[in-house]
Amino acid sequence: QVQLVESGGGLVQAGGSLRLSCVASGNIYIINDMGWYRQTPGKQREFVATISTGGGINYADSVKGRFAISRDNDKNTVYLQMNNLKPEDTAVYYCNSVGLDSDFRGERAWGQGILVTVSS
């Protein structure tokens, strides 16, 4: 199994910045895509951003121009730099990875989630 551990969340004022990190560990052969999703109470988990091994990036329209995703393949780590945060960005943010484990089985993993709160 692959384990994902997020860090970097917290409370910030509107207009501020936070940087989330997520480290993958465990029985990893290769991680193809890594990304971030978020969820607020009563709503479905929504896509925020993804990045492939080769650096291909996709963003949700709501975060384009404000968030930047990056990764360090050697460290199996993905980052989410969040700038110009808005109260509507308040959510639990989840790290996600898609790849193969050491037995070459497809593996999709989720982190435990980390809270980001943006005050107005």
Side-chain angles (χ1 to χ4, degrees), residues 20-39:
L20 303 183
S21 300
C22 171
V23 180
S25 63
N27 298 325
I28 300 169
Y29 175 71
I30 188 171
I31 296 178
N32 294 318
D33 296 334
M34 298 190 80
W36 294 92
Y37 291 72
R38 65 187 183 187
Q39 189 170 21

Side-chain angles (χ1 to χ4, degrees), residues 106-120:
E107 175 85 21
R108 185 182 181 99
W110 291 94
Q112 79 284 358
I114 191 163
L115 179 62
V116 171
T117 303
V118 184
S119 63
S120 58

Side-chain angles (χ1 to χ4, degrees), residues 3 8 11 19 52 64 69 82 99:
Q3 293 84 42
L11 173 65
R19 188 189 193 212
S52 68
K64 281 181 181 177
I69 190 170
M82 303 185 293

Side-chain angles (χ1 to χ4, degrees), residues 9-119:
L11 173 65
V12 65
Q13 288 189 331
S17 298
L18 282 175
R19 188 189 193 212
L20 303 183
S21 300
C22 171
V23 180
S25 63
N27 298 325
I28 300 169
Y29 175 71
I30 188 171
I31 296 178
N32 294 318
D33 296 334
M34 298 190 80
W36 294 92
Y37 291 72
R38 65 187 183 187
Q39 189 170 21
T40 54
K43 293 188 177 181
Q44 288 189 332
R45 192 171 297 184
E46 66 174 11
F47 163 77
V48 176
T50 57
I51 183 168
S52 68
T53 305
I57 291 174
N58 288 291
Y59 293 106
D61 289 342
S62 59
V63 307
K64 281 181 181 177
R66 300 187 298 121
F67 290 12
I69 190 170
S70 61
R71 67 187 284 177
D72 185 331
N73 293 329
D74 291 337
K75 296 181 179 178
N76 287 328
T77 300
V78 63
Y79 307 96
L80 186 68
Q81 178 67 43
M82 303 185 293
N83 299 322
N84 189 22
L85 282 159
K86 304 176 180 180
E88 52 264 42
D89 294 317
T90 295
V92 175
Y93 284 71
Y94 294 90
C95 179
N96 172 261
S97 73
V98 177
L100 297 176
D101 65 16
S102 55
D103 294 322
F104 305 107
R105 295 175 299 191
E107 175 85 21
R108 185 182 181 99
W110 291 94
Q112 79 284 358
I114 191 163
L115 179 62
V116 171
T117 303
V118 184
S119 63

